Amino acid sequence: MLARLGHVALRTPDLDRSLAFFDGVIGLELVERGDGCAYLRAWGDHEHHTLALIEAADGAVDHAGWRTRAPQDVDAFGARLRADGIEVEDVAAGVEAGQGAALRFRTPAGLPYEIYHDVEKRPPGAGRRPAVKTNSGRPWDHGISPRRLDHVNFVTPDVAAEEAWSQTALGFLTRERIRRDDGTVQGAWLGVSALAHDLALGAGPTAGGRGLHHVAFFVDNASDVLRAAEIFIEHGIEPDHGPGRHAISQAVCVYARDPASGHRVEIYSGSYLVLDPDWPTVEWSQAEYRQWWGAQPSRTEGSPIDVVTPC
Amino acid sequence: MLARLGHVALRTPDLDRSLAFFDGVIGLELVERGDGCAYLRAWGDHEHHTLALIEAADGAVDHAGWRTRAPQDVDAFGARLRADGIEVEDVAAGVEAGQGAALRFRTPAGLPYEIYHDVEKRPPGAGRRPAVKTNSGRPWDHGISPRRLDHVNFVTPDVAAEEAWSQTALGFLTRERIRRDDGTVQGAWLGVSALAHDLALGAGPTAGGRGLHHVAFFVDNASDVLRAAEIFIEHGIEPDHGPGRHAISQAVCVYARDPASGHRVEIYSGSYLVLDPDWPTVEWSQAEYRQWWGAQPSRTEGSPIDVVTPC
Amino acid sequence: MLARLGHVALRTPDLDRSLAFFDGVIGLELVERGDGCAYLRAWGDHEHHTLALIEAADGAVDHAGWRTRAPQDVDAFGARLRADGIEVEDVAAGVEAGQGAALRFRTPAGLPYEIYHDVEKRPPGAGRRPAVKTNSGRPWDHGISPRRLDHVNFVTPDVAAEEAWSQTALGFLTRERIRRDDGTVQGAWLGVSALAHDLALGAGPTAGGRGLHHVAFFVDNASDVLRAAEIFIEHGIEPDHGPGRHAISQAVCVYARDPASGHRVEIYSGSYLVLDPDWPTVEWSQAEYRQWWGAQPSRTEGSPIDVVTPC
Amino acid sequence: MLARLGHVALRTPDLDRSLAFFDGVIGLELVERGDGCAYLRAWGDHEHHTLALIEAADGAVDHAGWRTRAPQDVDAFGARLRADGIEVEDVAAGVEAGQGAALRFRTPAGLPYEIYHDVEKRPPGAGRRPAVKTNSGRPWDHGISPRRLDHVNFVTPDVAAEEAWSQTALGFLTRERIRRDDGTVQGAWLGVSALAHDLALGAGPTAGGRGLHHVAFFVDNASDVLRAAEIFIEHGIEPDHGPGRHAISQAVCVYARDPASGHRVEIYSGSYLVLDPDWPTVEWSQAEYRQWWGAQPSRTEGSPIDVVTPC
């Protein structure tokens, strides 16, 4: 069983400029910087990193890393995926900093996933011990300063097929779905944890039909989303959606893209939790679906997905 | 396995006055009113009710209802509890409105628990359809208007013993704990869901050494907690703790008591989630423990616990 | 000298339905209801009323009432306006409930203004005494619950002319202005108090070229504007601008219209104050002007202005 | 006539450490640093500075600077004060950076005041142009990041006497007052602008009976006050009052002291404005007076006042 989205690894053609965005503007903490790589996390993240940045010419998404509930789940997923004919790469412990053995593979839609369990629980850095023992860093230290990684949203050419595969192969449950009048699926929001969703799949305008729509980081309050919008704008980065509130997921949100890599980040708050064991998929028709309130998207293209290059 | 705290049932010597508090001030929705009983829920709760009020002279807490992940878990818990020598009462479907068969029993500390799975998923009432399909009621309709039931906090004479039993008999995990210099436990915060805690156990000044410290309802934003404080005060109800922020659970909070029954409610926001499968219990010494910020408690006594009277 | 915008009087074809909006949704308090009239105010307003509703077929704006700093200023304004050839009507004390003698007249652009000084300072109603002595009502009692009336915004055919007249005849100062590339003025924001503006004048699509764009009520926090948006939407009233933040005035805002009368209300927060005695008019070119963030207007027409009918 | 509190000048035994507090933690912008002096302002302040820090062994408050409405008001105040027997020092233009000719004197209670009008309106620094033309700096750039200077609060041995003098000699109006059962005045809140108060006078425990209780900076939202508390605590600075909300002034507040100088700062939001020209002084008895909600003061001593030393 998957426990949660553990981290996302993004490639960027300019690591320094991407760090200026993810560290300086988003306000993540730089945990470790290697040769062409940087590892970051939010002040309420406890693993070694929740975001990896990898310098690479193509600026594609490298992978989304899903952490399992138990150590033995990694091998079990590997066996099942291989039995289904999926090509699975074994990644040795330590290839990704702070992380144990992992599997990497492409989903039927071509999404680059990693599955792993073992990961270093890194304590706060020297001189950065937060006021509260259950945090790994200091809130409000710099930039937007989100609490934690939340979810990932991919553009896929056939949402219904990828949604079905995510359910059967990886154990995701669909919390909400938009069904078009012609019966096809416009978007699906799926979860493995108590979050409203850990993974979203949506149709959308992206080269090749597949890409990363966004990675979301959570802030505690709707007012923090408004502050995030102002921080983006003061840095000359125009949000490309929001501030607003989704009807689906009920989240208050603002989105902006890293000027260096083009990868989009959502600052996200106020969603619901799925604590009931029998949450029924809530389906919206095209006619029913609308944003709850706020600014509509001005741009919806995802950033590209390419071959997996471990770092 | 338990999924979550499903509801809390509180007795009150004056049902009308308690409704004026829980409906009029807290802003829950009255789902159904029976003979000497009333059932309420928040706008983001989906089951028939998350709070039952029962008119009874003693004004005690009636029970805390824990919902299981699967239907068959109810019988499994019954067998295990009886094997451990605990007297378990079978409650037939429908005895509690909207609810299937349940078990009621006392924990070793005397806490009145119910375990159940089947419960009616009640849609929004006529003319009360909310803007968003994943809600069961309208946010901001009246009073404080919390999103959902969060957790329950009990006063117990021997925290360590009840904590250990809650782990082995019911599957709770301890997220945080305060250990006194003499080695005894001052308080423990335990979870079965992704919430920072579903159940808290604490030592404290209460007649008989056991009681309900509070029932907590969640609001989306810290600013909603401040608004809650003002609503309490405008109704002549002085909060007896907060607004403030706990170091343990990281929650922004304010507490006040129903003038009719004396039961205490916490309005709660901003806590962390436990999405990691290997959250280590974080232990605080007496010296380390402090509130993060805000007003300290002016009163800490719990409300009484007495014999279970189904309604 | 004018002190401030004291009240706005709006006509509505359906007083009961307009009260459902201004009392039930906006959350003003009904102070007094007369024959075809109703008087309301916010919990931080101290005069008899800041909004008058008058039942009349045309549903036009009746007048904007400007209160003077000193009692004798009323006569001084009357003399000056008459000397300028403006037809000024004397309104006897008590014609408008709670109010002393007043002047009514049309500005050169045809805006229906009233100037007055004497007004009843009405204490809180029986059983509605707020927690804090400097308030006249209870915050958060119902609906959006703004603190106070803020400003009024009119559509006028020639902004520059009306702006100049407002300066010389009434003593307004221009705080911000948008100048089109052709040299004409798109909008001007003028003040007599410390508010960023008490009066705005703008060009816009409205029958006859003149109308009320909106009346604004102030809330303390940006988060209260978001809550206002949700209250509008839960009542089936789609905001026609925002939530968003203006660059001009720096206000966080959401706008919606009374379904009965069509008059637009802005819920407004977070602006700057003009405390400096030498605030320079800040002028924006068309190229420079943009909204700070948030949802753009979906509709900008004002509601009509017609002949003045005292009530 | 006075227009507003223009700036406060504080002495500190350690200028670098005080800058770490006022720039690094409070989040003011360093405008200019001279020989033993530093000048700072908030992003919504427009004059050269609203806070001056002066390195001096005694760490006392140097002066509070009141800006007049008109240039000629400075000489008028000088003549009147001298006629009343007050010793007035003429301060030449440029002695205080960015500022024209000024008067310095002690009030009857010994408070060190400055009166001035001419001051440099300094535009944003190079590379620090904010998104909005009516700001002088970038919101959320670092630290707490308040919008503007708000008010100053002094400890005085005889509040009633200083209050009366402030009214007759300087034109302040009293907005609120606490009167003790013995008829003496515990505190008075006075204004010259539309702020609920620009100056507060209170009895309190301070060496010599006179001192600076605090300087207040305004933030737009109550949620920003909560964030300020967390920023103080993450920097190891324990607030000595709040977060809470005053009944008097209605402000949401948190207070903390500069570790280097001991001067106290209030982060302040949500108060009312005095737009009515006839605001009646609201008087609270000892029995009536209470805080609205939140944490009570843990320490109330002011910081010292000594001889005036221009810098």
Side-chain angles (χ1 to χ4, degrees):
Chain A
M1 300 270 285
L2 296 181
R4 61 169 300 178
L5 177 67
H7 64 272
V8 174
L10 303 176
R11 296 186 225 152
T12 172
D14 187 335
L15 183 55
D16 286 331
R17 280 184 65 216
S18 285
L19 277 171
F21 178 76
F22 284 103
D23 183 337
V25 180
I26 301 295
L28 300 179
E29 182 187 0
L30 179 63
V31 175
E32 186 178 334
R33 185 164 179 175
D35 185 23
C37 301
Y39 299 94
L40 302 100
R41 67 177 178 185
W43 53 264
D45 289 327
H46 295 280
E47 304 191 354
H48 179 274
H49 61 277
T50 50
L51 179 72
L53 295 174
I54 303 166
E55 201 157 43
D58 66 359
V61 53
D62 196 85
H63 65 270
W66 301 97
R67 192 171 180 219
T68 64
R69 297 200 189 172
Q72 65 274 20
D73 292 342
V74 178
D75 285 346
F77 273 113
R80 207 179 321 154
L81 290 165
R82 286 179 172 115
D84 285 354
I86 289 183
E87 192 175 334
V88 178
E89 176 192 6
D90 287 300
V91 180
V95 168
E96 190 163 337
Q99 194 173 295
L103 310 173
R104 290 197 188 164
F105 59 95
R106 294 289 179 130
T107 71
L111 308 183
Y113 280 4
E114 180 177 82
I115 288 180
Y116 69 105
H117 182 82
D118 294 330
V119 64
E120 181 188 344
K121 296 262 185 188
R122 178 172 279 225
R128 296 180 64 88
R129 187 166 301 281
V132 170
K133 288 179 85 167
T134 44
N135 287 334
S136 69
R138 291 183 170 172
W140 311 121
D141 188 60
H142 62 286
I144 292 168
S145 189
R147 173 184 278 276
R148 59 170 171 76
L149 178 64
D150 195 274
H151 66 265
V152 68
N153 182 311
F154 285 109
V155 181
T156 50
D158 180 342
V159 174
E162 183 77 356
E163 177 194 354
W165 181 85
S166 303
Q167 292 173 343
T168 55
L170 299 181
F172 281 93
L173 298 171
T174 303
R175 272 70 184 265
E176 301 190 62
R177 187 190 291 123
I178 304 174
R179 192 174 293 280
R180 296 194 193 90
D181 296 344
D182 65 6
T184 59
V185 177
Q186 163 71 31
W189 287 258
L190 302 98
V192 286
S193 76
L195 297 181
H197 65 295
D198 303 282
L199 169 67
L201 301 170
T206 296
R210 57 180 56 78
L212 175 71
H213 190 277
H214 65 264
V215 179
F217 286 88
F218 182 86
V219 290
D220 279 4
N221 301 288
S223 53
D224 302 329
V225 174
L226 306 188
R227 177 176 166 271
E230 293 171 12
I231 289 174
F232 282 133
I233 291 169
E234 293 291 349
H235 283 83
I237 299 166
E238 200 62 30
D240 54 14
H241 185 177
R245 189 163 195 172
H246 298 296
I248 288 179
S249 87
Q250 301 191 27
V252 182
C253 61
V254 67
Y255 299 74
R257 284 174 302 128
D258 170 22
S261 68
H263 295 303
R264 187 183 284 112
V265 170
E266 180 182 16
I267 302 298
Y268 179 95
S269 190
S271 184
Y272 62 87
L273 296 179
V274 177
L275 302 174
D276 291 332
D278 48 1
W279 179 272
T281 300
V282 173
E283 196 166 290
W284 303 70
S285 69
Q286 275 181 283
E288 283 175 332
Y289 175 69
R290 48 171 303 264
Q291 191 165 297
W292 196 343
W293 52 259
Q296 302 288 335
S298 60
R299 186 184 192 281
T300 58
E301 292 88 338
S303 48
I305 288 174
D306 200 45
V307 291
V308 182
T309 311
C311 171
Chain B
M1 298 271 284
L2 297 181
R4 61 169 300 179
L5 177 67
H7 64 271
V8 173
L10 304 176
R11 295 184 225 153
T12 172
D14 187 335
L15 183 56
D16 286 332
R17 279 184 65 216
S18 284
L19 277 171
F21 177 76
F22 285 103
D23 183 337
V25 180
I26 300 296
L28 301 179
E29 182 189 359
L30 180 62
V31 175
E32 184 178 336
R33 186 163 179 175
D35 185 23
C37 299
Y39 299 94
L40 302 101
R41 68 177 177 186
W43 53 264
D45 289 327
H46 295 280
E47 305 192 353
H48 178 273
H49 61 276
T50 51
L51 180 72
L53 295 175
I54 304 167
E55 200 156 45
D58 65 0
V61 54
D62 197 84
H63 65 270
W66 301 97
R67 191 169 180 219
T68 63
R69 297 198 189 174
Q72 64 274 20
D73 290 343
V74 178
D75 285 347
F77 272 114
R80 206 178 323 155
L81 290 165
R82 286 179 172 113
D84 284 354
I86 288 182
E87 194 174 334
V88 178
E89 178 192 6
D90 287 300
V91 181
V95 168
E96 191 163 338
Q99 194 173 295
L103 310 174
R104 290 197 188 166
F105 59 95
R106 294 291 180 128
T107 71
L111 308 182
Y113 280 4
E114 181 177 80
I115 287 179
Y116 69 106
H117 182 81
D118 294 331
V119 65
E120 180 189 343
K121 295 261 183 189
R122 177 172 281 226
R128 296 179 64 86
R129 189 166 301 280
V132 171
K133 287 180 85 167
T134 45
N135 287 334
S136 68
R138 292 184 170 174
W140 311 122
D141 188 61
H142 62 286
I144 292 167
S145 189
R147 174 185 278 277
R148 60 171 171 74
L149 178 65
D150 194 275
H151 65 264
V152 68
N153 181 311
F154 285 109
V155 180
T156 50
D158 181 342
V159 173
E162 184 77 357
E163 179 195 353
W165 182 85
S166 302
Q167 293 173 344
T168 55
L170 300 180
F172 282 92
L173 297 172
T174 303
R175 271 72 184 265
E176 300 190 63
R177 186 190 290 123
I178 304 174
R179 191 173 294 278
R180 295 193 194 91
D181 296 345
D182 65 6
T184 59
V185 176
Q186 165 70 30
W189 287 258
L190 302 98
V192 287
S193 76
L195 298 180
H197 66 294
D198 303 281
L199 169 67
L201 301 169
T206 296
R210 57 181 54 77
L212 174 72
H213 189 275
H214 65 265
V215 179
F217 287 89
F218 183 85
V219 290
D220 280 2
N221 300 288
S223 54
D224 302 329
V225 174
L226 306 188
R227 176 175 165 270
E230 293 171 12
I231 289 174
F232 283 135
I233 291 168
E234 293 292 349
H235 283 83
I237 298 167
E238 200 61 32
D240 55 14
H241 186 176
R245 189 163 197 173
H246 298 295
I248 288 179
S249 87
Q250 301 192 26
V252 181
C253 62
V254 66
Y255 300 74
R257 285 174 302 128
D258 169 21
S261 68
H263 296 303
R264 185 183 286 114
V265 171
E266 179 182 17
I267 302 299
Y268 180 94
S269 189
S271 184
Y272 62 88
L273 296 179
V274 178
L275 302 174
D276 292 332
D278 49 1
W279 179 272
T281 300
V282 173
E283 194 164 292
W284 302 70
S285 69
Q286 275 182 282
E288 283 174 331
Y289 175 68
R290 48 171 304 265
Q291 190 166 298
W292 196 343
W293 53 259
Q296 302 289 333
S298 61
R299 188 182 191 280
T300 58
E301 292 89 337
S303 49
I305 289 173
D306 201 44
V307 290
V308 182
T309 311
C311 170
Chain C
M1 298 269 286
L2 297 182
R4 61 169 299 179
L5 178 67
H7 64 271
V8 174
L10 304 176
R11 296 184 225 152
T12 172
D14 187 334
L15 184 56
D16 285 332
R17 281 183 65 215
S18 284
L19 277 171
F21 177 76
F22 285 102
D23 183 338
V25 180
I26 301 295
L28 300 179
E29 183 189 358
L30 179 62
V31 175
E32 185 179 333
R33 186 164 178 173
D35 185 22
C37 300
Y39 298 95
L40 302 101
R41 67 177 178 185
W43 53 265
D45 289 327
H46 294 281
E47 304 190 354
H48 178 274
H49 61 276
T50 50
L51 180 73
L53 295 174
I54 303 166
E55 201 156 43
D58 65 359
V61 53
D62 197 83
H63 64 271
W66 301 97
R67 191 170 180 218
T68 63
R69 296 198 189 174
Q72 64 273 21
D73 291 342
V74 178
D75 285 346
F77 273 114
R80 208 177 323 156
L81 290 165
R82 285 178 171 115
D84 284 354
I86 289 183
E87 194 174 334
V88 178
E89 176 193 7
D90 286 300
V91 180
V95 168
E96 190 163 339
Q99 194 173 294
L103 310 174
R104 290 197 188 166
F105 60 96
R106 295 289 180 128
T107 71
L111 307 184
Y113 280 4
E114 179 176 83
I115 288 180
Y116 69 105
H117 182 82
D118 294 331
V119 65
E120 182 189 343
K121 295 261 184 189
R122 179 173 278 225
R128 295 178 66 87
R129 189 166 300 281
V132 171
K133 288 179 85 167
T134 44
N135 287 333
S136 68
R138 290 184 171 173
W140 312 123
D141 188 62
H142 62 286
I144 291 167
S145 191
R147 174 185 279 277
R148 58 172 171 76
L149 178 64
D150 195 274
H151 65 265
V152 68
N153 181 312
F154 285 108
V155 181
T156 49
D158 180 342
V159 173
E162 182 78 356
E163 179 195 354
W165 182 85
S166 303
Q167 293 173 345
T168 55
L170 300 180
F172 281 92
L173 297 171
T174 304
R175 271 73 184 263
E176 300 190 63
R177 185 190 293 122
I178 304 174
R179 192 174 294 278
R180 296 193 192 91
D181 296 344
D182 64 6
T184 59
V185 177
Q186 165 70 30
W189 287 259
L190 302 99
V192 286
S193 76
L195 297 181
H197 65 294
D198 302 282
L199 168 67
L201 301 170
T206 296
R210 54 180 58 76
L212 174 71
H213 189 276
H214 63 265
V215 179
F217 286 89
F218 182 86
V219 292
D220 279 3
N221 301 289
S223 54
D224 302 328
V225 174
L226 306 188
R227 177 175 165 271
E230 294 171 12
I231 289 175
F232 282 134
I233 292 168
E234 293 293 348
H235 283 84
I237 298 166
E238 201 61 31
D240 54 15
H241 185 176
R245 189 164 196 172
H246 298 295
I248 288 179
S249 87
Q250 300 192 26
V252 182
C253 61
V254 66
Y255 299 74
R257 284 175 303 126
D258 169 22
S261 68
H263 295 303
R264 186 183 286 112
V265 171
E266 178 181 18
I267 303 298
Y268 180 95
S269 190
S271 184
Y272 63 87
L273 295 179
V274 177
L275 302 173
D276 291 332
D278 48 2
W279 179 273
T281 301
V282 173
E283 194 165 290
W284 303 70
S285 69
Q286 274 180 286
E288 283 175 331
Y289 176 68
R290 50 171 303 267
Q291 190 165 296
W292 197 342
W293 52 259
Q296 303 289 334
S298 60
R299 186 183 192 282
T300 58
E301 292 89 336
S303 48
I305 287 174
D306 201 45
V307 291
V308 183
T309 311
C311 171
Chain D
M1 297 268 286
L2 296 182
R4 60 169 301 179
L5 177 66
H7 64 272
V8 174
L10 304 176
R11 295 184 226 154
T12 171
D14 187 334
L15 183 55
D16 286 332
R17 282 184 63 216
S18 284
L19 277 172
F21 178 77
F22 285 102
D23 183 338
V25 180
I26 300 296
L28 300 179
E29 182 188 359
L30 179 62
V31 175
E32 184 178 335
R33 187 164 177 175
D35 185 25
C37 301
Y39 299 94
L40 303 100
R41 67 177 179 185
W43 53 264
D45 290 328
H46 294 280
E47 304 192 353
H48 178 273
H49 61 276
T50 50
L51 180 73
L53 295 175
I54 303 167
E55 200 156 44
D58 65 1
V61 53
D62 197 84
H63 64 270
W66 302 97
R67 190 169 181 220
T68 63
R69 297 198 189 175
Q72 64 274 21
D73 292 341
V74 177
D75 285 346
F77 272 114
R80 205 178 324 154
L81 290 165
R82 286 178 171 116
D84 285 353
I86 289 183
E87 193 175 334
V88 179
E89 177 192 5
D90 286 299
V91 181
V95 168
E96 192 163 338
Q99 193 173 296
L103 310 174
R104 289 196 189 168
F105 60 95
R106 295 289 179 130
T107 71
L111 308 183
Y113 280 4
E114 180 177 81
I115 288 180
Y116 70 106
H117 181 81
D118 294 330
V119 66
E120 181 189 344
K121 297 261 182 187
R122 178 173 279 225
R128 295 178 66 86
R129 189 166 301 280
V132 171
K133 287 180 86 167
T134 44
N135 287 333
S136 67
R138 292 183 169 173
W140 312 122
D141 187 62
H142 63 285
I144 292 168
S145 190
R147 173 186 278 278
R148 59 170 171 77
L149 178 64
D150 195 274
H151 65 263
V152 68
N153 181 310
F154 285 108
V155 180
T156 49
D158 181 342
V159 174
E162 183 78 356
E163 178 194 355
W165 182 86
S166 302
Q167 293 174 342
T168 55
L170 300 180
F172 281 93
L173 297 172
T174 304
R175 273 71 184 266
E176 300 191 63
R177 187 190 289 123
I178 304 174
R179 191 173 295 280
R180 296 193 193 92
D181 296 345
D182 65 7
T184 58
V185 176
Q186 165 69 32
W189 287 259
L190 302 99
V192 285
S193 76
L195 296 181
H197 66 294
D198 302 282
L199 169 67
L201 302 169
T206 297
R210 57 180 56 77
L212 175 72
H213 190 277
H214 64 265
V215 179
F217 286 89
F218 183 85
V219 291
D220 279 4
N221 300 288
S223 53
D224 301 328
V225 173
L226 306 188
R227 176 175 165 272
E230 293 172 12
I231 289 174
F232 282 135
I233 291 168
E234 293 292 349
H235 283 84
I237 298 167
E238 200 62 31
D240 54 14
H241 185 177
R245 188 165 196 172
H246 298 295
I248 288 179
S249 87
Q250 301 192 29
V252 181
C253 61
V254 66
Y255 299 74
R257 285 176 301 128
D258 168 22
S261 68
H263 296 303
R264 187 183 284 112
V265 170
E266 179 181 17
I267 303 298
Y268 179 95
S269 190
S271 184
Y272 62 87
L273 295 179
V274 177
L275 301 174
D276 292 332
D278 48 1
W279 178 272
T281 300
V282 173
E283 194 164 292
W284 302 70
S285 69
Q286 274 182 286
E288 283 175 332
Y289 175 69
R290 49 172 303 266
Q291 190 166 299
W292 195 343
W293 52 259
Q296 301 289 333
S298 61
R299 187 181 191 282
T300 58
E301 292 88 339
S303 48
I305 288 174
D306 201 43
V307 290
V308 183
T309 310
C311 171

